[in-house]
């Protein structure tokens, strides 16, 4: 959230509100702040079912299968002048640029700079 690079202690935090589920990548101090802010509400809440019964959860979505590995995207992005974090979600701008470069890639593998 702060824009700082997330270290190995930072992870995706899942939470839900009004029937919608969310996940956000937070640094350790941001995780602590979120949990502290929600603590009084969680203490007063009661558990609820997170998924309707009888609805199997898909383990891998089509989007996941079609996406290249985050490591490959990060390596390509760094070689092509993008600033990407070492951990956490690869920014959508980088994903789209990577996919565009790979779909139009010739014999050079698409690794050419976009600097003008």
């Amino acid at each position: 959230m702060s824009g700082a690079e997330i270290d190995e202690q930072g992870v995706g935090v899942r939470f839900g509100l009004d029937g919608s589920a969310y996940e956000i990548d937070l640094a350790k101090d941001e995780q602590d702040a979120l949990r502290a802010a929600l603590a009084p509400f969680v203490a007063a809440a009661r558990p609820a079912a997170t998924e309707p019964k009888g609805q199997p959860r898909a383990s891998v979505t089509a989007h996941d299968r079609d996406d290249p590995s985050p490591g490959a995207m990060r390596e390509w992005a760094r070689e092509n002048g993008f600033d990407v974090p070492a951990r956490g979600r690869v920014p959508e701008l980088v994903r789209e640029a990577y996919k565009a470069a790979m779909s139009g890639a010739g014999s050079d593998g698409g690794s050419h700079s976009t600097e003008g």
Side-chain angles (χ1 to χ4, degrees):
M1 232 174 70
S2 67
E5 191 169 309
I6 297 175
D7 64 17
E8 59 275 353
Q9 293 180 348
V11 295
V13 175
R14 291 177 161 226
F15 63 97
L17 183 65
D18 296 334
S20 296
Y22 302 92
E23 183 173 4
I24 186 169
D25 293 330
L26 297 174
K28 179 72 171 113
D29 60 330
E30 293 169 329
Q31 292 174 40
D32 294 342
L34 177 62
R35 288 186 174 101
L38 293 175
F41 301 99
V42 171
R46 61 187 170 277
T50 56
E51 294 181 23
K53 293 186 190 281
Q55 297 275 338
R57 182 176 175 190
S59 59
V60 177
T61 66
H63 178 75
D64 293 336
R65 285 191 303 268
D66 294 340
D67 272 355
S69 75
M73 285 189 284
R74 283 189 178 87
E75 181 179 348
W76 175 89
R78 287 187 189 107
E79 290 171 357
N80 287 277
F82 288 90
D83 184 27
V84 291
R87 295 181 55 89
R89 201 168 275 117
V90 175
E92 191 63 26
L93 175 69
V94 172
R95 287 178 174 280
E96 294 303 320
Y98 178 88
K99 288 177 185 178
M102 293 300 112
S103 68
S107 60
D108 68 350
S111 56
H112 50 22
S113 179
T114 58
E115 295 177 33

